[in-house]
Amino acid sequence: MDLGLTGKRGIVVGGSRGIGKAIAWELAREGVDLVLIARDAERLAGAASEIAQDSGQQVLTMACDVRDRTAVEEAVAWSARELGGLEILVNSGSAPGGSATAVGKIDTIVDEDFLDDFNVKYMGALRCARAAIPHLQAADWGRIVNISGLNARIAGNMSGGARNGSMVHMTRTLAQQFGRDGITVNCIHPGLTRTERTAVVMAARAERAGLTPAEVEERDYADDNPRANSIRRMVDASEIGHIAAFLCSDKSWAINGEVIAADGGGSPSVYY
């Protein structure tokens, strides 16, 4: 299927690694010129080089802290100038799970860390969208994809639940406001996803359990594990990239203001 993305221009926030990098890679393979935004300039440069060599697309970088409104506005304006316009924004700029001192029980949460998690994920995405939308309006065509997370639907992780739930609300609100301008806004809820971090995380779990990483993963997705997803394997970051590329495409007009859970069918709940 031709997604109609050749010649489009986009920003991927959090594009230096993980799900953000996987999305950037897929967009570039579909013909999108990109600017990757994150805080680590060295990691950004490495990701951009890999993606550009693989895809043949222009992949630029801008180190930016999304907690700084002025820096965000300057980064988005620079990106639009360098690319010659802007049609796509992907917000994937936060650490998975959030700060360790902001995800526990209410009596252990450090307020400042909780607020910083919210400031990075929700307010960072809001700042990026606010800066990008005028460029998308000028193009008469735009796509915003927000990467949230299934903690929005699972009680326990207070920081993850709060920030991910708020991303859904913002997604729907922006979709309602800017759909008439040819801009769609959608959200993806990844579950546990294989990224560069997975090997380290699995090795630590394996050591605690006295098993190999392969055995831990096999146990996680065994048929007799009621917590396993229905496809019985971990979703790969590249598969989140495929979903995001479709939502960014010219084929996705009918989907606006929606949330897609991308965890391989990990929940038996029914959502109407």
Side-chain angles (χ1 to χ4, degrees), residues 150-185:
L150 279 168
N151 278 322
R153 297 180 179 176
I154 302 169
N157 181 334
M158 295 189 73
S159 172
R163 62 187 190 151
N164 291 343
S166 66
M167 292 284 282
V168 176
H169 190 279
M170 178 172 64
T171 294
R172 188 68 173 175
T173 300
L174 295 181
Q176 291 290 307
Q177 184 175 354
F178 295 106
R180 69 198 67 186
D181 295 328
I183 300 169
T184 66
V185 188

PDB file of all heavy atoms in Angstrom, residues 150-185:
ATOM      1  N   LEU A 150      -0.194   2.052  28.058  1.00  0.00           N
ATOM      2  CA  LEU A 150      -1.321   1.346  28.657  1.00  0.00           C
ATOM      3  C   LEU A 150      -1.431   1.519  30.169  1.00  0.00           C
ATOM      4  O   LEU A 150      -2.403   1.075  30.771  1.00  0.00           O
ATOM      5  CB  LEU A 150      -1.261  -0.134  28.292  1.00  0.00           C
ATOM      6  CG  LEU A 150      -1.825  -0.427  26.899  1.00  0.00           C
ATOM      7  CD1 LEU A 150      -1.486  -1.836  26.467  1.00  0.00           C
ATOM      8  CD2 LEU A 150      -3.334  -0.218  26.875  1.00  0.00           C
ATOM      9  N   ASN A 151      -0.468   2.200  30.798  1.00  0.00           N
ATOM     10  CA  ASN A 151      -0.646   2.544  32.205  1.00  0.00           C
ATOM     11  C   ASN A 151      -1.857   3.445  32.400  1.00  0.00           C
ATOM     12  O   ASN A 151      -2.373   3.564  33.513  1.00  0.00           O
ATOM     13  CB  ASN A 151       0.601   3.236  32.765  1.00  0.00           C
ATOM     14  CG  ASN A 151       1.677   2.251  33.156  1.00  0.00           C
ATOM     15  OD1 ASN A 151       1.386   1.188  33.676  1.00  0.00           O
ATOM     16  ND2 ASN A 151       2.923   2.588  32.891  1.00  0.00           N
ATOM     17  N   ALA A 152      -2.317   4.088  31.323  1.00  0.00           N
ATOM     18  CA  ALA A 152      -3.529   4.899  31.408  1.00  0.00           C
ATOM     19  C   ALA A 152      -4.744   4.063  31.781  1.00  0.00           C
ATOM     20  O   ALA A 152      -5.715   4.572  32.343  1.00  0.00           O
ATOM     21  CB  ALA A 152      -3.777   5.592  30.068  1.00  0.00           C
ATOM     22  N   ARG A 153      -4.704   2.751  31.476  1.00  0.00           N
ATOM     23  CA  ARG A 153      -5.843   1.868  31.721  1.00  0.00           C
ATOM     24  C   ARG A 153      -5.611   0.900  32.871  1.00  0.00           C
ATOM     25  O   ARG A 153      -6.445   0.043  33.134  1.00  0.00           O
ATOM     26  CB  ARG A 153      -6.157   1.061  30.457  1.00  0.00           C
ATOM     27  CG  ARG A 153      -6.575   1.917  29.279  1.00  0.00           C
ATOM     28  CD  ARG A 153      -6.874   1.052  28.058  1.00  0.00           C
ATOM     29  NE  ARG A 153      -7.291   1.874  26.932  1.00  0.00           N
ATOM     30  CZ  ARG A 153      -7.543   1.400  25.714  1.00  0.00           C
ATOM     31  NH1 ARG A 153      -7.406   0.103  25.474  1.00  0.00           N
ATOM     32  NH2 ARG A 153      -7.920   2.209  24.749  1.00  0.00           N
ATOM     33  N   ILE A 154      -4.464   1.023  33.537  1.00  0.00           N
ATOM     34  CA  ILE A 154      -4.106   0.059  34.584  1.00  0.00           C
ATOM     35  C   ILE A 154      -3.830   0.821  35.876  1.00  0.00           C
ATOM     36  O   ILE A 154      -2.947   1.684  35.927  1.00  0.00           O
ATOM     37  CB  ILE A 154      -2.858  -0.751  34.184  1.00  0.00           C
ATOM     38  CG1 ILE A 154      -3.102  -1.488  32.860  1.00  0.00           C
ATOM     39  CG2 ILE A 154      -2.491  -1.742  35.289  1.00  0.00           C
ATOM     40  CD1 ILE A 154      -1.852  -2.082  32.266  1.00  0.00           C
ATOM     41  N   ALA A 155      -4.570   0.502  36.922  1.00  0.00           N
ATOM     42  CA  ALA A 155      -4.341   1.150  38.207  1.00  0.00           C
ATOM     43  C   ALA A 155      -3.015   0.682  38.794  1.00  0.00           C
ATOM     44  O   ALA A 155      -2.614  -0.463  38.615  1.00  0.00           O
ATOM     45  CB  ALA A 155      -5.478   0.825  39.165  1.00  0.00           C
ATOM     46  N   GLY A 156      -2.340   1.583  39.485  1.00  0.00           N
ATOM     47  CA  GLY A 156      -1.102   1.212  40.174  1.00  0.00           C
ATOM     48  C   GLY A 156       0.024   2.191  39.962  1.00  0.00           C
ATOM     49  O   GLY A 156       0.607   2.687  40.928  1.00  0.00           O
ATOM     50  N   ASN A 157       0.364   2.467  38.718  1.00  0.00           N
ATOM     51  CA  ASN A 157       1.444   3.407  38.415  1.00  0.00           C
ATOM     52  C   ASN A 157       0.842   4.799  38.335  1.00  0.00           C
ATOM     53  O   ASN A 157       0.288   5.191  37.315  1.00  0.00           O
ATOM     54  CB  ASN A 157       2.113   3.017  37.094  1.00  0.00           C
ATOM     55  CG  ASN A 157       3.270   3.934  36.722  1.00  0.00           C
ATOM     56  OD1 ASN A 157       3.318   5.091  37.134  1.00  0.00           O
ATOM     57  ND2 ASN A 157       4.195   3.430  35.926  1.00  0.00           N
ATOM     58  N   MET A 158       0.915   5.551  39.418  1.00  0.00           N
ATOM     59  CA  MET A 158       0.192   6.817  39.481  1.00  0.00           C
ATOM     60  C   MET A 158       0.727   7.844  38.496  1.00  0.00           C
ATOM     61  O   MET A 158      -0.032   8.569  37.858  1.00  0.00           O
ATOM     62  CB  MET A 158       0.218   7.369  40.906  1.00  0.00           C
ATOM     63  CG  MET A 158      -0.529   6.462  41.881  1.00  0.00           C
ATOM     64  SD  MET A 158      -0.740   7.190  43.516  1.00  0.00           S
ATOM     65  CE  MET A 158      -1.989   8.420  43.163  1.00  0.00           C
ATOM     66  N   SER A 159       2.037   7.892  38.345  1.00  0.00           N
ATOM     67  CA  SER A 159       2.616   8.826  37.382  1.00  0.00           C
ATOM     68  C   SER A 159       2.266   8.414  35.957  1.00  0.00           C
ATOM     69  O   SER A 159       1.808   9.224  35.147  1.00  0.00           O
ATOM     70  CB  SER A 159       4.135   8.893  37.548  1.00  0.00           C
ATOM     71  OG  SER A 159       4.716   9.645  36.500  1.00  0.00           O
ATOM     72  N   GLY A 160       2.469   7.117  35.646  1.00  0.00           N
ATOM     73  CA  GLY A 160       2.162   6.640  34.303  1.00  0.00           C
ATOM     74  C   GLY A 160       0.693   6.808  33.974  1.00  0.00           C
ATOM     75  O   GLY A 160       0.319   7.203  32.862  1.00  0.00           O
ATOM     76  N   GLY A 161      -0.180   6.497  34.941  1.00  0.00           N
ATOM     77  CA  GLY A 161      -1.608   6.642  34.704  1.00  0.00           C
ATOM     78  C   GLY A 161      -2.005   8.075  34.455  1.00  0.00           C
ATOM     79  O   GLY A 161      -2.775   8.380  33.532  1.00  0.00           O
ATOM     80  N   ALA A 162      -1.476   8.989  35.264  1.00  0.00           N
ATOM     81  CA  ALA A 162      -1.859  10.400  35.147  1.00  0.00           C
ATOM     82  C   ALA A 162      -1.380  10.997  33.834  1.00  0.00           C
ATOM     83  O   ALA A 162      -2.137  11.637  33.096  1.00  0.00           O
ATOM     84  CB  ALA A 162      -1.291  11.186  36.330  1.00  0.00           C
ATOM     85  N   ARG A 163      -0.113  10.787  33.525  1.00  0.00           N
ATOM     86  CA  ARG A 163       0.416  11.426  32.328  1.00  0.00           C
ATOM     87  C   ARG A 163      -0.118  10.778  31.057  1.00  0.00           C
ATOM     88  O   ARG A 163      -0.399  11.464  30.066  1.00  0.00           O
ATOM     89  CB  ARG A 163       1.944  11.451  32.335  1.00  0.00           C
ATOM     90  CG  ARG A 163       2.603  10.083  32.345  1.00  0.00           C
ATOM     91  CD  ARG A 163       4.106  10.163  32.520  1.00  0.00           C
ATOM     92  NE  ARG A 163       4.689   8.833  32.278  1.00  0.00           N
ATOM     93  CZ  ARG A 163       5.905   8.635  31.809  1.00  0.00           C
ATOM     94  NH1 ARG A 163       6.676   9.663  31.525  1.00  0.00           N
ATOM     95  NH2 ARG A 163       6.360   7.425  31.619  1.00  0.00           N
ATOM     96  N   ASN A 164      -0.302   9.454  31.064  1.00  0.00           N
ATOM     97  CA  ASN A 164      -0.812   8.785  29.876  1.00  0.00           C
ATOM     98  C   ASN A 164      -2.292   9.071  29.661  1.00  0.00           C
ATOM     99  O   ASN A 164      -2.743   9.252  28.524  1.00  0.00           O
ATOM    100  CB  ASN A 164      -0.565   7.286  29.957  1.00  0.00           C
ATOM    101  CG  ASN A 164       0.911   6.938  29.849  1.00  0.00           C
ATOM    102  OD1 ASN A 164       1.713   7.751  29.403  1.00  0.00           O
ATOM    103  ND2 ASN A 164       1.266   5.733  30.246  1.00  0.00           N
ATOM    104  N   GLY A 165      -3.053   9.097  30.740  1.00  0.00           N
ATOM    105  CA  GLY A 165      -4.459   9.449  30.610  1.00  0.00           C
ATOM    106  C   GLY A 165      -4.648  10.853  30.084  1.00  0.00           C
ATOM    107  O   GLY A 165      -5.534  11.117  29.260  1.00  0.00           O
ATOM    108  N   SER A 166      -3.808  11.766  30.540  1.00  0.00           N
ATOM    109  CA  SER A 166      -3.923  13.153  30.078  1.00  0.00           C
ATOM    110  C   SER A 166      -3.566  13.276  28.599  1.00  0.00           C
ATOM    111  O   SER A 166      -4.118  14.130  27.887  1.00  0.00           O
ATOM    112  CB  SER A 166      -3.016  14.062  30.913  1.00  0.00           C
ATOM    113  OG  SER A 166      -1.645  13.763  30.716  1.00  0.00           O
ATOM    114  N   MET A 167      -2.682  12.416  28.111  1.00  0.00           N
ATOM    115  CA  MET A 167      -2.339  12.439  26.681  1.00  0.00           C
ATOM    116  C   MET A 167      -3.551  12.094  25.825  1.00  0.00           C
ATOM    117  O   MET A 167      -3.748  12.637  24.734  1.00  0.00           O
ATOM    118  CB  MET A 167      -1.208  11.463  26.400  1.00  0.00           C
ATOM    119  CG  MET A 167       0.136  11.843  26.995  1.00  0.00           C
ATOM    120  SD  MET A 167       0.969  13.162  26.110  1.00  0.00           S
ATOM    121  CE  MET A 167       1.624  12.249  24.709  1.00  0.00           C
ATOM    122  N   VAL A 168      -4.377  11.170  26.311  1.00  0.00           N
ATOM    123  CA  VAL A 168      -5.587  10.796  25.576  1.00  0.00           C
ATOM    124  C   VAL A 168      -6.535  11.985  25.493  1.00  0.00           C
ATOM    125  O   VAL A 168      -7.109  12.277  24.438  1.00  0.00           O
ATOM    126  CB  VAL A 168      -6.279   9.596  26.251  1.00  0.00           C
ATOM    127  CG1 VAL A 168      -7.576   9.263  25.548  1.00  0.00           C
ATOM    128  CG2 VAL A 168      -5.349   8.387  26.263  1.00  0.00           C
ATOM    129  N   HIS A 169      -6.711  12.674  26.601  1.00  0.00           N
ATOM    130  CA  HIS A 169      -7.606  13.833  26.619  1.00  0.00           C
ATOM    131  C   HIS A 169      -7.115  14.912  25.659  1.00  0.00           C
ATOM    132  O   HIS A 169      -7.906  15.484  24.887  1.00  0.00           O
ATOM    133  CB  HIS A 169      -7.712  14.395  28.041  1.00  0.00           C
ATOM    134  CG  HIS A 169      -8.784  15.418  28.194  1.00  0.00           C
ATOM    135  ND1 HIS A 169      -8.621  16.733  27.819  1.00  0.00           N
ATOM    136  CD2 HIS A 169     -10.057  15.312  28.657  1.00  0.00           C
ATOM    137  CE1 HIS A 169      -9.729  17.403  28.064  1.00  0.00           C
ATOM    138  NE2 HIS A 169     -10.618  16.567  28.569  1.00  0.00           N
ATOM    139  N   MET A 170      -5.818  15.186  25.681  1.00  0.00           N
ATOM    140  CA  MET A 170      -5.281  16.189  24.762  1.00  0.00           C
ATOM    141  C   MET A 170      -5.471  15.762  23.310  1.00  0.00           C
ATOM    142  O   MET A 170      -5.801  16.582  22.442  1.00  0.00           O
ATOM    143  CB  MET A 170      -3.796  16.431  25.037  1.00  0.00           C
ATOM    144  CG  MET A 170      -3.169  17.431  24.062  1.00  0.00           C
ATOM    145  SD  MET A 170      -1.474  17.903  24.496  1.00  0.00           S
ATOM    146  CE  MET A 170      -0.624  16.347  24.318  1.00  0.00           C
ATOM    147  N   THR A 171      -5.259  14.485  23.036  1.00  0.00           N
ATOM    148  CA  THR A 171      -5.417  13.976  21.672  1.00  0.00           C
ATOM    149  C   THR A 171      -6.813  14.262  21.149  1.00  0.00           C
ATOM    150  O   THR A 171      -6.989  14.794  20.041  1.00  0.00           O
ATOM    151  CB  THR A 171      -5.143  12.462  21.643  1.00  0.00           C
ATOM    152  OG1 THR A 171      -3.766  12.226  21.963  1.00  0.00           O
ATOM    153  CG2 THR A 171      -5.453  11.860  20.285  1.00  0.00           C
ATOM    154  N   ARG A 172      -7.811  13.901  21.927  1.00  0.00           N
ATOM    155  CA  ARG A 172      -9.203  14.101  21.499  1.00  0.00           C
ATOM    156  C   ARG A 172      -9.535  15.576  21.356  1.00  0.00           C
ATOM    157  O   ARG A 172     -10.223  15.992  20.415  1.00  0.00           O
ATOM    158  CB  ARG A 172     -10.142  13.439  22.505  1.00  0.00           C
ATOM    159  CG  ARG A 172     -11.599  13.411  22.061  1.00  0.00           C
ATOM    160  CD  ARG A 172     -11.785  12.492  20.862  1.00  0.00           C
ATOM    161  NE  ARG A 172     -13.194  12.341  20.535  1.00  0.00           N
ATOM    162  CZ  ARG A 172     -13.642  11.676  19.488  1.00  0.00           C
ATOM    163  NH1 ARG A 172     -12.791  11.083  18.666  1.00  0.00           N
ATOM    164  NH2 ARG A 172     -14.929  11.576  19.243  1.00  0.00           N
ATOM    165  N   THR A 173      -9.041  16.381  22.284  1.00  0.00           N
ATOM    166  CA  THR A 173      -9.323  17.821  22.252  1.00  0.00           C
ATOM    167  C   THR A 173      -8.741  18.465  21.004  1.00  0.00           C
ATOM    168  O   THR A 173      -9.414  19.238  20.302  1.00  0.00           O
ATOM    169  CB  THR A 173      -8.758  18.481  23.519  1.00  0.00           C
ATOM    170  OG1 THR A 173      -9.377  17.901  24.670  1.00  0.00           O
ATOM    171  CG2 THR A 173      -9.028  19.980  23.511  1.00  0.00           C
ATOM    172  N   LEU A 174      -7.479  18.151  20.687  1.00  0.00           N
ATOM    173  CA  LEU A 174      -6.852  18.730  19.494  1.00  0.00           C
ATOM    174  C   LEU A 174      -7.508  18.226  18.221  1.00  0.00           C
ATOM    175  O   LEU A 174      -7.660  18.974  17.244  1.00  0.00           O
ATOM    176  CB  LEU A 174      -5.361  18.408  19.485  1.00  0.00           C
ATOM    177  CG  LEU A 174      -4.513  19.017  20.602  1.00  0.00           C
ATOM    178  CD1 LEU A 174      -3.051  18.623  20.432  1.00  0.00           C
ATOM    179  CD2 LEU A 174      -4.648  20.531  20.657  1.00  0.00           C
ATOM    180  N   ALA A 175      -7.907  16.953  18.210  1.00  0.00           N
ATOM    181  CA  ALA A 175      -8.579  16.403  17.030  1.00  0.00           C
ATOM    182  C   ALA A 175      -9.871  17.152  16.741  1.00  0.00           C
ATOM    183  O   ALA A 175     -10.178  17.463  15.582  1.00  0.00           O
ATOM    184  CB  ALA A 175      -8.862  14.917  17.239  1.00  0.00           C
ATOM    185  N   GLN A 176     -10.628  17.428  17.784  1.00  0.00           N
ATOM    186  CA  GLN A 176     -11.881  18.158  17.615  1.00  0.00           C
ATOM    187  C   GLN A 176     -11.639  19.584  17.125  1.00  0.00           C
ATOM    188  O   GLN A 176     -12.392  20.112  16.306  1.00  0.00           O
ATOM    189  CB  GLN A 176     -12.635  18.192  18.943  1.00  0.00           C
ATOM    190  CG  GLN A 176     -13.185  16.856  19.388  1.00  0.00           C
ATOM    191  CD  GLN A 176     -14.337  16.391  18.507  1.00  0.00           C
ATOM    192  OE1 GLN A 176     -15.303  17.111  18.302  1.00  0.00           O
ATOM    193  NE2 GLN A 176     -14.224  15.189  17.986  1.00  0.00           N
ATOM    194  N   GLN A 177     -10.571  20.198  17.610  1.00  0.00           N
ATOM    195  CA  GLN A 177     -10.311  21.595  17.274  1.00  0.00           C
ATOM    196  C   GLN A 177      -9.737  21.774  15.881  1.00  0.00           C
ATOM    197  O   GLN A 177     -10.079  22.741  15.179  1.00  0.00           O
ATOM    198  CB  GLN A 177      -9.350  22.198  18.312  1.00  0.00           C
ATOM    199  CG  GLN A 177      -9.095  23.687  18.098  1.00  0.00           C
ATOM    200  CD  GLN A 177      -8.252  24.291  19.203  1.00  0.00           C
ATOM    201  OE1 GLN A 177      -7.928  23.637  20.202  1.00  0.00           O
ATOM    202  NE2 GLN A 177      -7.894  25.552  19.048  1.00  0.00           N
ATOM    203  N   PHE A 178      -8.880  20.829  15.438  1.00  0.00           N
ATOM    204  CA  PHE A 178      -8.117  21.087  14.218  1.00  0.00           C
ATOM    205  C   PHE A 178      -8.441  20.152  13.054  1.00  0.00           C
ATOM    206  O   PHE A 178      -7.839  20.276  11.987  1.00  0.00           O
ATOM    207  CB  PHE A 178      -6.618  21.034  14.526  1.00  0.00           C
ATOM    208  CG  PHE A 178      -6.181  22.119  15.465  1.00  0.00           C
ATOM    209  CD1 PHE A 178      -5.876  21.829  16.797  1.00  0.00           C
ATOM    210  CD2 PHE A 178      -6.110  23.435  15.044  1.00  0.00           C
ATOM    211  CE1 PHE A 178      -5.487  22.828  17.673  1.00  0.00           C
ATOM    212  CE2 PHE A 178      -5.730  24.449  15.915  1.00  0.00           C
ATOM    213  CZ  PHE A 178      -5.417  24.147  17.236  1.00  0.00           C
ATOM    214  N   GLY A 179      -9.402  19.267  13.229  1.00  0.00           N
ATOM    215  CA  GLY A 179      -9.790  18.403  12.120  1.00  0.00           C
ATOM    216  C   GLY A 179     -10.247  19.204  10.914  1.00  0.00           C
ATOM    217  O   GLY A 179      -9.970  18.844   9.757  1.00  0.00           O
ATOM    218  N   ARG A 180     -10.925  20.309  11.143  1.00  0.00           N
ATOM    219  CA  ARG A 180     -11.408  21.151  10.039  1.00  0.00           C
ATOM    220  C   ARG A 180     -10.266  21.782   9.247  1.00  0.00           C
ATOM    221  O   ARG A 180     -10.470  22.256   8.128  1.00  0.00           O
ATOM    222  CB  ARG A 180     -12.318  22.254  10.598  1.00  0.00           C
ATOM    223  CG  ARG A 180     -11.591  23.312  11.427  1.00  0.00           C
ATOM    224  CD  ARG A 180     -12.533  24.103  12.299  1.00  0.00           C
ATOM    225  NE  ARG A 180     -13.108  23.259  13.347  1.00  0.00           N
ATOM    226  CZ  ARG A 180     -14.058  23.684  14.180  1.00  0.00           C
ATOM    227  NH1 ARG A 180     -14.548  24.910  14.064  1.00  0.00           N
ATOM    228  NH2 ARG A 180     -14.509  22.893  15.112  1.00  0.00           N
ATOM    229  N   ASP A 181      -9.066  21.786   9.835  1.00  0.00           N
ATOM    230  CA  ASP A 181      -7.889  22.329   9.140  1.00  0.00           C
ATOM    231  C   ASP A 181      -7.113  21.246   8.401  1.00  0.00           C
ATOM    232  O   ASP A 181      -6.002  21.484   7.931  1.00  0.00           O
ATOM    233  CB  ASP A 181      -6.949  23.007  10.146  1.00  0.00           C
ATOM    234  CG  ASP A 181      -7.577  24.222  10.801  1.00  0.00           C
ATOM    235  OD1 ASP A 181      -8.387  24.908  10.139  1.00  0.00           O
ATOM    236  OD2 ASP A 181      -7.274  24.476  11.982  1.00  0.00           O
ATOM    237  N   GLY A 182      -7.681  20.045   8.326  1.00  0.00           N
ATOM    238  CA  GLY A 182      -6.974  18.947   7.655  1.00  0.00           C
ATOM    239  C   GLY A 182      -5.919  18.299   8.519  1.00  0.00           C
ATOM    240  O   GLY A 182      -5.004  17.647   8.006  1.00  0.00           O
ATOM    241  N   ILE A 183      -6.047  18.463   9.844  1.00  0.00           N
ATOM    242  CA  ILE A 183      -5.074  17.907  10.785  1.00  0.00           C
ATOM    243  C   ILE A 183      -5.766  16.829  11.613  1.00  0.00           C
ATOM    244  O   ILE A 183      -6.782  17.093  12.263  1.00  0.00           O
ATOM    245  CB  ILE A 183      -4.512  18.985  11.724  1.00  0.00           C
ATOM    246  CG1 ILE A 183      -3.818  20.092  10.922  1.00  0.00           C
ATOM    247  CG2 ILE A 183      -3.557  18.372  12.749  1.00  0.00           C
ATOM    248  CD1 ILE A 183      -3.466  21.319  11.754  1.00  0.00           C
ATOM    249  N   THR A 184      -5.252  15.605  11.573  1.00  0.00           N
ATOM    250  CA  THR A 184      -5.754  14.556  12.452  1.00  0.00           C
ATOM    251  C   THR A 184      -4.777  14.329  13.589  1.00  0.00           C
ATOM    252  O   THR A 184      -3.566  14.495  13.431  1.00  0.00           O
ATOM    253  CB  THR A 184      -5.998  13.235  11.696  1.00  0.00           C
ATOM    254  OG1 THR A 184      -4.753  12.705  11.238  1.00  0.00           O
ATOM    255  CG2 THR A 184      -6.932  13.449  10.514  1.00  0.00           C
ATOM    256  N   VAL A 185      -5.326  13.949  14.734  1.00  0.00           N
ATOM    257  CA  VAL A 185      -4.523  13.749  15.943  1.00  0.00           C
ATOM    258  C   VAL A 185      -4.961  12.431  16.570  1.00  0.00           C
ATOM    259  O   VAL A 185      -6.139  12.261  16.896  1.00  0.00           O
ATOM    260  CB  VAL A 185      -4.718  14.895  16.952  1.00  0.00           C
ATOM    261  CG1 VAL A 185      -3.725  14.757  18.111  1.00  0.00           C
ATOM    262  CG2 VAL A 185      -4.573  16.254  16.277  1.00  0.00           C
TER     263      VAL A 185
END
